[in-house]
Amino acid sequence: MRLILLLVLFSFLSVYASGQSSFLKKLNSPPDSSYIASYKNDLVVRLYTSRKYMGQQLIDGSLNKKLNYLPSNNYLVGLV
């Protein structure tokens, strides 16, 4: 029974492997110029912003003191 199952499995795998050659040819075909444009001579600038909103609070129970940390500058700006 196992032998028959293995033969059937290998026959399906061989059919699948032979079908991959046509699939790989489609992957290596040149891109369609009506859908894909080249921007290799253009400068692309991205501006990222972020906001720091997380604060920390440390509490010392034995001394009955609190330490609050809040970010001094809430906004970050990045240029890539």
Side-chain angles (χ1 to χ4, degrees):
M1 183 67 177
R2 286 185 179 177
L3 181 62
I4 295 172
L5 182 62
L6 285 174
L7 288 174
V8 170
L9 180 65
F10 283 130
S11 66
F12 280 123
L13 289 177
S14 65
V15 169
Y16 176 71
S18 67
Q20 284 183 348
S21 62
S22 63
F23 178 71
L24 293 176
K25 285 180 186 176
K26 289 180 183 177
L27 286 179
N28 292 329
S29 65
D32 189 3
S33 62
S34 62
Y35 292 105
I36 299 174
S38 174
Y39 296 105
K40 65 182 180 182
N41 294 327
D42 294 342
L43 176 66
V44 177
V45 177
R46 294 183 180 128
L47 182 66
Y48 294 100
T49 60
S50 177
R51 183 168 179 233
K52 292 190 264 183
Y53 59 90
M54 184 73 180
Q56 299 288 330
Q57 183 179 32
L58 300 173
I59 300 172
D60 186 358
S62 63
L63 295 176
N64 204 13
K65 300 246 180 189
K66 286 188 205 176
L67 177 65
N68 288 329
Y69 168 75
L70 298 173
S72 60
N73 185 4
N74 288 335
Y75 296 102
L76 299 171
V77 177
L79 184 65
V80 177

